[in-house]
Amino acid sequence: SIGLARKNNRLYVLHRVEKSETLQAIAKKYGVSADDIRNANLSQSDKLDIGAVLYVPYKKSRKDVYVSYDAE
């Protein structure tokens, strides 16, 4: 991922498409469906352009770790 973004009051992971990636593989990586990604990007196609940035619906998992501290 290359970061997070808000769109239409929802949180998304930004993913830059790399060579040989498929929509199904990206969906599996983030724990969402290919349809979720298509809907987030207003696309009906599975065709991906290398270097394109996709909005992937953010799905919090147990692996997510948040660290908060004061840098005083």
Side-chain angles (χ1 to χ4, degrees):
S1 80
I2 58 172
L4 297 173
R6 281 204 181 275
K7 182 170 103 170
N8 299 328
N9 264 348
R10 294 202 55 199
L11 188 60
Y12 294 89
V13 175
L14 298 176
H15 178 87
R16 188 177 313 276
V17 178
E18 296 180 8
K19 185 176 180 180
S20 304
E21 281 189 308
T22 65
L23 189 62
Q24 289 74 20
I26 295 168
K28 184 176 180 180
K29 176 179 180 175
Y30 292 101
V32 299
S33 72
D35 281 339
D36 290 337
I37 295 174
R38 276 190 220 96
N39 291 335
N41 294 278
L42 303 175
S43 174
Q44 298 302 314
S45 174
D46 283 359
K47 183 179 179 304
L48 300 175
D49 295 323
I50 296 170
V53 176
L54 297 177
Y55 285 89
V56 180
Y58 178 79
K59 183 176 179 183
K60 185 176 179 182
S61 72
R62 292 183 193 156
K63 294 179 184 178
D64 290 338
V65 176
Y66 297 93
V67 178
S68 176
Y69 64 93
D70 292 332
E72 292 183 40

